Amino acid sequence: MRSTGLLMMLPAVLAHAAETTGIDELHTVVVTGSRIRASQADSTGPVVVVSREQLTRGGNDSLGKVLQTLPFNTGAPANTNVNGGGDGSVRIDLRGLEPQRTLVLLNGRRLPNGGIGADSSVDIDSLPLSMVERVEVLTTGASAVYGADAIGGVVNVITRSDLTGVELGAQRSGTEHGDGAITRVQALVGDDTGRSSWMLGADYVEQNGVSASAREHSAIPLGIANVDGLLVPLGSDAVPDGVFSVPGGNALGLQPGDYTRVAGSTGQAASDWRPFTPGDTFNFAPYTYLQTPNERWSLWTMGRLRLSDAAELFVEGSWRRRDSSQNRAPAPYFVIQGAAPMQEDGTPMIPANNHYNPFGVDVLNGARRLIELGDRHFAQRVEMWRALAGVRGTLGSWRWEAAVAASESDAVTHESGLPLAQRFVAGLGPSGPDSAGRIVCGTPDALTGVVPASAVVAGCVPINLFGGAGSIPQEQVDYLGGPLSDRGSYSQRLANIGFDGAWGRTSAGEVLWALGGEFRRDSGAYQFDPQRVGGTVSTGLAPYVPGGSFDALEGYAEVRVPVLGGRSSWGKLDVTLGGRLSDFSTFGTQATWRGGLRWSPARQWALRIDYAQAFRAPALNELYRVQSIGASDFRDPCGDSPTPQQQVNCAANGVPGGAYVQPGGDSHFVREGGNAELEPEAGYSLDAGIEFHSTGAVAARTSIDFFQTRLDGFVAAGEEGAILDECASHGRSIACSKIERFADGSLRSVDLRNSNLGRVVVRGIDLAASLDFATRAGALSVQALVTRLLEYETQAFEGGASLERLGTSNVGSVLPEWRASSALSWQQSAWRAAYTLQWIGPYAFNAFTQQGEPFTGDVPSVLYHDVEASYRWRGIALRAGVTNLTDRDPPFLGGEVNTNAATYRLLGRTYFLQLTYATQ
């Protein structure tokens, strides 16, 4: 294949090298975004560097917390504030394209995806803060340089390499409410003998949980009452005493309507039931976390050994364990398909001959909070190790490097309070006393009311939903299901080889090359507890992925050609070209290329442009998630008075005459899950920027960049409403092909499996600025980063209608037009102080009122202020500070905690104290 041929070129290229250089050449800086060793000043792409001082500022305890405040991280990726839907991990999402489209590297090499199993992105907090020297963030695509997944950008974590002696540290933070404590302890030791160097580090973090009821802004779930935006309490309709839609003709003589049981009553008389009101809803806030418990242990080591004057051995190793948990209110039960008996037409219900049903008629709608089962609790134990060994050296003016790495992740998740859905199908069915008077499952005799022995359903326990809070006895609780344990894993094997150096020259200077190849094998799984067959009431943490793997073999070449230089009156001009050939076992071969230009008309100025093709290989969970068949009663436009144009498209899709009448409650099948036939996503990224820098007494650096990313064949699960509407209204073949109909035109099934769908386009402007200067009062430094999104357009189907999501929020995603962060720091001798800002701009959010009317609200901008000061004396440093100085509450957005937990700070004003010691 072509990548093999590329590797075979290397000996001929290296034959041009004649001189042997020293070992120091091995450590020339490689700037993220290129395989060619050069300084950041030669980059054609935008690279932002986050220093170790910036990483530890503000009493920070994790790498993810810092990186999520960067303005180009948007879209609300998961973090440890997310309770419902969170799993204790922290993700990075450059440009809001979802975390699986941000590539995370460690010292320029891929990291395995991390989390609870078969994950699609890196858990950034799997890297302990103590091992990090700096982070380089490339804010444009780089698939031709690093391979698949580098769509939104690249986060390259650079480890420490210069520690000699001992470094110890301890830190404690907590809110002014006296809760939310986070403790961090670290210990590092290292030595450098000249011929060898090594480091060993340990990092421990303990984060305490905080309940949503501990803050006024989240203590009561709120909803939007009307189009004026009035906020009113809005709990869950699933209450401990139950709420049931009672039809006419019931045994108690109640008028048709929704009723709840009178507390303390038997529920057997009409007076025991009263109409359900909005004030009866259940407040789930006391069961929910604003900050989830999270405990992390990390051990890591780095080392290198000089083998000769021109070669050295290097190693990296790490082990990490995380124990994390989330909590939710006791499971709500609803009378729905798959978790209730069914009438002959498929309508779910609790039948009239259920022993505990006091109404004497089939109950078609109902809900009950199953408080007898206890809270829904989710706990994760994740362990991961990674080992890497390599050799690097010089041969003439060329450098070479070869390395192999292995990573393994093993996880177990424990879940309690999730009853098994199938148990309700039998347990809520017909029941009554047997000949011994025990209540059993089975259809009672119409005359005696006794369940004959031949009709008893073995292994079934009748379930009482009508007795009110606390009425479900332990026998029924045990029948509904006990604790569940799911297991997850992820494995990666990696081997790479690379060469870079000069070969040839132009009148402007040497031509620089980088050539190499990489082999990678990834595998993973997330396997359900066997009890989960048939599903649970309430969802778990992740979908079922029985297991899967893929291999990738890649080769790359990159060249930087100086076009102008030396004494040219036009300044300096370099052109960079690169290409990569990738062969994946899951879909075949993909070629990508990039081109960049950097022109410096004067020493202080540079103009650059970078264009790169992009692609992303489908992740394991997208490919191998188990497929399932479910039922849906979604309305079909072809069966619901279609327009004349819709009738034409419906007829083409197999509806006789273009229309039919869809009965109320009519259901059809939907197919969901992974899709092993997925193709890679493909697109491009473009960045054009201007830089200015000056040196001397005042060092200034400023850049402004325009960026655009487009991705086609976006992998996503199908949305049934969008599929049916696109087919009926526009006749899109990709949508219509997912619909199967009976001969009369009615729906048979809709395919909602993961598919390569439409496109996404993101455009915007980045501004970065820094200023360093000295005064009589000390050294001052100012940094600022600003991102302005200009467009975020999505298209569900190629050629279909586009949706502009810029400046909006929807479920799980926040895309403000403006985001910014800045810092002012001061240092005078042993004293240091800093003041930082984080700004999240305003935007609109769309919701529905309690009357079902669409509502668009304005979300105000939020500005966070942090201050700190430190003093160093004889290797001892004391640092103290306050974050969220003005105690800013998050804005209302609805949802579990009335806001977006992944975007905003939830706990209010927080204090921290840090003490470190380092040998001199």
Side-chain angles (χ1 to χ4, degrees):
M1 59 180 297
R2 287 172 56 188
S3 56
T4 305
L6 181 63
L7 297 178
M8 294 177 65
M9 293 170 52
L10 298 177
V13 173
L14 295 178
H16 287 264
E19 298 181 4
T20 300
T21 58
I23 194 74
D24 291 339
E25 289 293 321
L26 299 180
H27 307 294
T28 306
V29 174
V30 179
V31 175
T32 303
S34 175
R35 298 285 187 176
I36 297 172
R37 296 172 190 257
S39 69
Q40 185 179 353
D42 293 323
S43 175
T44 63
V47 178
V48 173
V49 179
V50 184
S51 68
R52 184 148 56 101
E53 169 60 28
Q54 292 170 303
L55 290 172
T56 56
R57 189 178 290 158
N60 179 46
D61 58 87
S62 84
L63 183 59
K65 286 184 178 178
V66 179
L67 299 184
Q68 284 198 346
T69 65
L70 297 176
F72 16 83
N73 175 84
T74 190
N79 59 33
T80 60
N81 284 343
V82 178
N83 182 70
D87 63 3
S89 65
V90 179
R91 313 287 173 169
I92 302 301
D93 185 0
L94 299 183
R95 306 306 187 199
L97 293 169
E98 300 182 8
Q100 63 266 34
R101 296 175 182 91
T102 293
L103 180 62
V104 179
L105 309 173
L106 183 67
N107 294 326
R109 302 178 191 89
R110 280 179 174 268
L111 282 171
N113 294 335
I116 59 176
D119 301 272
S120 58
S121 61
V122 171
D123 176 5
I124 197 68
D125 272 1
S126 64
L127 300 174
L129 197 59
S130 62
M131 74 184 295
V132 181
E133 176 64 27
R134 67 183 186 276
V135 179
E136 298 178 352
V137 183
L138 176 71
T139 56
T140 189
S143 294
V145 178
Y146 297 110
D149 310 336
I151 307 298
V154 178
V155 175
N156 189 9
V157 180
I158 310 299
T159 57
R160 301 178 66 172
S161 60
D162 59 351
L163 178 66
T164 300
V166 176
E167 184 176 299
L168 304 173
Q171 177 180 298
R172 177 83 168 181
S173 66
T175 75
E176 65 177 14
H177 296 265
D179 57 14
I182 301 177
T183 302
R184 176 172 176 253
V185 180
Q186 69 175 46
L188 296 84
V189 60
D191 192 23
D192 189 341
T193 66
R195 184 170 183 268
S196 66
S197 67
W198 58 271
M199 288 181 294
L200 179 66
D203 204 292
Y204 172 76
V205 179
E206 181 185 42
Q207 174 177 291
N208 294 342
V210 178
S211 170
S213 61
R215 296 296 184 273
E216 184 177 355
H217 61 78
S218 56
I220 299 175
L222 299 176
I224 303 170
N226 52 46
V227 293
D228 294 327
L230 177 66
L231 298 180
V232 295
L234 178 66
S236 169
D237 287 345
V239 297
D241 277 315
V243 55
F244 303 97
S245 296
V246 181
N250 60 83
L252 301 182
L254 296 171
Q255 293 296 314
D258 294 337
Y259 289 86
T260 187
R261 177 181 164 277
V262 175
S265 67
T266 64
Q268 300 303 307
S271 60
D272 295 343
W273 297 88
R274 61 178 178 79
F276 184 79
T277 68
D280 294 320
T281 57
F282 179 78
N283 181 2
F284 47 78
Y287 305 89
T288 298
Y289 284 125
L290 287 179
Q291 176 175 282
T292 63
N294 196 293
E295 194 170 13
R296 305 188 296 274
W297 296 261
S298 300
L299 294 174
W300 58 272
T301 185
M302 302 281 168
R304 57 186 179 91
L305 173 66
R306 179 178 294 189
L307 302 175
S308 69
D309 288 340
E312 70 176 17
L313 170 73
F314 62 95
V315 295
E316 299 174 1
S318 62
W319 172 87
R320 186 247 190 175
R321 172 171 171 163
R322 164 165 60 89
D323 287 326
S324 52
S325 63
Q326 303 80 40
N327 204 73
R328 306 190 77 178
Y333 171 79
F334 296 92
V335 179
I336 58 173
Q337 289 182 340
M342 291 191 298
Q343 295 179 332
E344 291 185 3
D345 63 358
T347 302
M349 53 89 187
I350 303 175
N353 57 358
N354 174 279
H355 176 75
Y356 299 105
N357 183 351
F359 303 115
V361 292
D362 293 349
V363 175
L364 305 185
N365 292 293
R368 165 77 145 79
R369 183 71 55 172
L370 304 173
I371 61 170
E372 295 85 354
L373 275 65
D375 300 354
R376 286 171 289 170
H377 188 69
F378 307 85
Q380 306 85 43
R381 190 271 302 149
V382 182
E383 290 190 20
M384 174 184 287
W385 63 263
R386 176 179 180 268
L388 178 143
V391 182
R392 57 192 169 209
T394 62
L395 183 58
S397 62
W398 281 72
R399 289 163 290 254
W400 58 270
E401 179 177 296
V404 294
S407 304
E408 294 282 349
S409 173
D410 178 72
V412 59
T413 66
H414 298 289
E415 303 169 333
S416 59
L418 301 184
L420 305 176
Q422 287 295 319
R423 300 290 173 90
F424 289 93
V425 176
L428 290 178
S431 58
D434 63 5
S435 58
R438 296 180 301 111
I439 307 303
V440 296
C441 298
T443 303
D445 182 84
L447 295 177
T448 66
V450 175
V451 180
S454 60
V456 174
V457 179
C460 175
V461 177
I463 301 170
N464 179 15
L465 293 184
F466 299 94
S471 64
I472 300 179
Q474 190 62 43
E475 179 189 21
Q476 296 180 25
V477 170
D478 295 340
Y479 170 70
L480 289 175
L484 304 172
S485 293
D486 301 340
R487 300 201 68 89
S489 63
Y490 206 98
S491 171
Q492 185 183 86
R493 300 293 183 265
L494 187 70
N496 55 47
I497 185 170
F499 302 82
D500 70 281
W503 182 29
R505 63 182 301 114
T506 68
S507 60
E510 290 184 318
V511 178
L512 302 179
W513 293 81
L515 307 166
E518 179 179 284
F519 169 78
R520 177 165 56 105
R521 171 173 292 166
D522 283 34
S523 59
Y526 186 80
Q527 298 175 334
F528 282 176
D529 188 303
Q531 297 180 79
R532 282 185 178 273
V533 176
T536 60
V537 173
S538 180
T539 58
L541 294 176
Y544 183 27
V545 182
S549 64
F550 65 81
D551 295 345
L553 182 62
E554 302 180 280
Y556 66 85
E558 190 176 2
V559 60
R560 178 172 297 163
V561 181
V563 178
L564 298 174
R567 300 179 179 179
S568 170
S569 60
W570 290 91
K572 182 181 178 182
L573 175 65
D574 290 339
V575 175
T576 300
L577 298 172
R580 174 177 287 254
L581 188 64
S582 305
D583 185 72
F584 278 75
S585 60
T586 47
F587 60 81
T589 302
Q590 183 85 18
T592 53
W593 66 271
R594 67 167 291 231
L597 180 149
R598 184 182 182 92
W599 176 43
S600 299
R603 185 175 60 87
Q604 297 91 350
W605 291 92
L607 287 80
R608 49 180 168 73
I609 186 169
D610 190 276
Y611 175 90
Q613 289 184 320
F615 88 101
R616 185 181 76 90
L620 293 175
N621 56 4
E622 294 170 327
L623 291 165
Y624 302 118
R625 175 182 176 180
V626 71
Q627 296 186 8
S628 61
I629 301 295
S632 171
D633 57 1
F634 205 95
R635 299 297 297 175
D636 178 13
C638 296
D640 196 15
S641 302
T643 66
Q645 181 57 51
Q646 286 179 327
Q647 291 182 35
V648 173
N649 296 325
C650 292
N653 190 235
V655 179
Y660 72 101
V661 177
Q662 184 177 8
D666 183 46
S667 64
H668 54 273
F669 294 110
V670 291
R671 186 180 182 187
E672 301 174 294
N675 185 352
E677 298 178 356
L678 289 172
E679 294 293 323
E681 301 170 342
Y684 70 85
S685 62
L686 171 68
D687 186 277
I690 301 174
E691 291 181 2
F692 169 81
H693 70 277
S694 64
T695 58
V698 177
R701 189 177 189 92
T702 303
S703 66
I704 184 168
D705 284 80
F706 168 83
F707 63 86
Q708 178 168 302
T709 299
R710 171 171 171 157
L711 199 59
D712 294 293
F714 206 83
V715 174
E719 295 183 8
E720 188 173 11
I723 290 171
L724 294 172
D725 182 70
E726 282 289 335
C727 181
S729 300
H730 307 288
R732 308 288 179 202
S733 59
I734 187 173
C736 294
S737 66
K738 298 180 179 297
I739 301 171
E740 185 179 4
R741 298 184 181 275
F742 289 106
D744 64 355
S746 61
L747 289 175
R748 178 184 179 89
S749 67
V750 181
D751 188 352
L752 305 181
R753 294 177 302 162
N754 292 332
S755 301
N756 295 98
L757 298 175
R759 71 160 190 253
V760 59
V761 178
V762 182
R763 291 191 301 117
I765 295 174
D766 287 331
L767 173 66
S770 65
L771 187 66
D772 298 278
F773 59 96
T775 70
R776 291 182 179 181
L780 292 175
S781 177
V782 182
Q783 300 97 28
L785 296 170
V786 181
T787 293
R788 168 67 160 94
L789 278 181
L790 300 174
E791 178 184 12
Y792 195 109
E793 178 198 47
T794 61
Q795 188 182 70
F797 297 97
E798 183 178 359
S802 295
L803 174 65
E804 179 57 70
R805 295 179 54 199
L806 175 65
T808 63
S809 171
N810 59 14
V811 177
S813 181
V814 174
L815 294 168
E817 296 182 34
W818 292 94
R819 288 185 65 131
S821 62
S822 64
L824 169 64
S825 58
W826 165 84
Q827 183 173 0
Q828 174 71 291
S829 185
W831 289 95
R832 174 175 291 180
Y835 168 55
T836 61
L837 297 172
Q838 182 192 1
W839 179 46
I840 302 169
Y843 53 93
F845 80 102
N846 301 315
F848 287 94
T849 69
Q850 291 185 346
Q851 285 73 40
E853 300 168 312
F855 173 81
T856 298
D858 294 325
V859 179
S861 64
V862 173
L863 184 63
Y864 295 114
H865 305 260
D866 306 328
V867 295
E868 66 175 70
S870 64
Y871 179 76
R872 181 177 295 274
W873 178 73
R874 292 186 178 181
I876 299 175
L878 181 65
R879 176 184 290 189
V882 184
T883 62
N884 194 2
L885 181 64
T886 58
D887 197 25
R888 181 65 187 266
D889 286 338
F892 172 80
L893 286 171
E896 185 179 47
V897 293
N898 292 330
T899 192
N900 188 283
T903 300
Y904 297 100
R905 308 187 195 183
L906 307 181
L907 301 187
R909 188 180 294 115
T910 301
Y911 304 92
F912 72 88
L913 183 66
Q914 179 189 93
L915 180 66
T916 60
Y917 168 76
T919 55
Q920 300 294 309

